[in-house]
Amino acid sequence: MTKILQRNLYREVADRIGELIEHGELSPGERISEKQLCDRFGVSRTPLREALKVLATEGLIELLPNRGARVVQLTFKKVKDTYDLMAALEGLSGELACEYISDAEISAIRKLHDTMLEHYRNRDLLPYFKVNRQIHESILAAANNDVLQETYSNLNQRVKRVRYSKKMTERYWSQAVKDHENMMAALEKRDGALLGQILRDHLCNKIEVATLAGVINPDYDKSIANG
Amino acid sequence: MTKILQRNLYREVADRIGELIEHGELSPGERISEKQLCDRFGVSRTPLREALKVLATEGLIELLPNRGARVVQLTFKKVKDTYDLMAALEGLSGELACEYISDAEISAIRKLHDTMLEHYRNRDLLPYFKVNRQIHESILAAANNDVLQETYSNLNQRVKRVRYSKKMTERYWSQAVKDHENMMAALEKRDGALLGQILRDHLCNKIEVATLAGVINPDYDKSIANG
DNA sequence: AAAAGTAATTATGAATTCAGTATTCACGAT
DNA sequence: ATCGTGAATACTGAATTCATAATTACTTTT
């Protein structure tokens, strides 16, 4: 692990800790030892503690008065709440995108879409996920709303550790592809209301939640393990 | 100004600075002097700087490397982007609220609604705004989604300094009241799709944006003054 | 042996100190 | 007179130190 050397130390540290959480190297509920992280990153406590405060604001960890920090336990309800919100934001991004998107941007997304279909036909899950994400990000970017993008990005970060780790069932996968066909059509017609509706109803998120519900302790507020 | 005495210093300081920004005591674009704020609050630089990092994460200020912090300049576009987002979140809150809300909660909101109508008839603007806000907050609470509530609260904080400061025109006001009549009806029918749609289209936010557009420099990205 | 109380240790909260960068002001050159 | 260069000053970035709260270990008592 390369030590951190310079510049905007607190932000750098915050990102690195975020990665540790995402990859499960810091377990949910686990006490975060300041000293341990300081040694790991070769940084003093000042920027590290600033990073912890920022991460708490971003919802990745929680601070207990006089008792340090711990990684947030993702409960089923928290994940569901976050996904509900993300679905609404995707819907908005669709509406806005149709207002502002250029022909060039549409054809770029069309290319991504066709590539994704190719991956689907070959059942290449990882490449499929990657292009899928690019499509959603492109629409988000076309929405031309920085606050929206920032907010979505933050929410996504919170649930990253339980995303992209589930296997699709064939049925859900084909439904998701159908959704994308409809999305593409709505986008090319620049039908914002329709695209928004499709994105809000887009099953991806709900699939994952459903999958989680099957995989994990179905208890509503019980913590769930990392992927 | 009472000095800060104890407990969760950084959070306390962040809230206080937030108030200063909201009330316009710190002007947008203005350099924030750490030393000055330290003296004002009777706090050392450590918790103060932690507070600044948090406020930057929350989008109230921005940090310039080696050049300190400044209050974010609210441009017309930023406000519009934020309002678009808040409208979407309100819509979601309406949909979710209809799923979870109890009869008791509905009648509580009905009471608020009737009180608000009373204030409208008397043209009591401030009490009207206050009850109006309580209604929206009640629906948000009934949605039973902590992440949604937290996100909405954060966005609201960013634009607080330009809200609640505009005078309603009679036409917009009566339209807003009509919207609320429809909202109330949808809520009592527990028609989530409808309530969501009404809330998304609810004119309040757009009114304010329109008002701002008339009051301020119409230049899209130009900064706007505090209320 | 178990439990409770106290001392010791460790970790967090905050202040201070040290270092590096930007800004300002003065002086000189064109 | 204006612009450019450089030294002095002020401020931010980060490390260290000091204070206080929490946890642990140990002792003592029942």
Side-chain angles (χ1 to χ4, degrees), chain B residues 22 93 127:
Chain B
E22 183 185 342
S93 79

Side-chain angles (χ1 to χ4, degrees), chain A residues 11-56:
Chain A
R11 191 61 261 183
E12 199 88 16
V13 170
D15 291 343
R16 290 282 290 276
I17 295 177
E19 288 171 19
L20 293 184
I21 294 173
E22 183 186 342
H23 298 130
E25 296 181 54
L26 291 173
S27 305
E30 183 182 344
R31 270 280 287 280
I32 299 177
S33 163
E34 292 183 1
K35 194 171 158 322
Q36 189 181 322
L37 289 176
C38 287
D39 294 346
R40 182 164 197 165
F41 296 137
V43 168
S44 82
R45 277 180 63 216
T46 305
L48 185 111
R49 300 187 78 247
E50 289 170 348
L52 291 181
K53 260 95 185 169
V54 167
L55 289 168

Side-chain angles (χ1 to χ4, degrees), chain B residues 26-33 36 64 66-71:
Chain B
L26 291 174
S27 306
E30 182 181 343
R31 271 280 287 279
I32 298 177
S33 163
Q36 189 181 323
L64 300 90
N66 288 316
R67 296 187 53 189
R70 66 176 50 166
V71 178

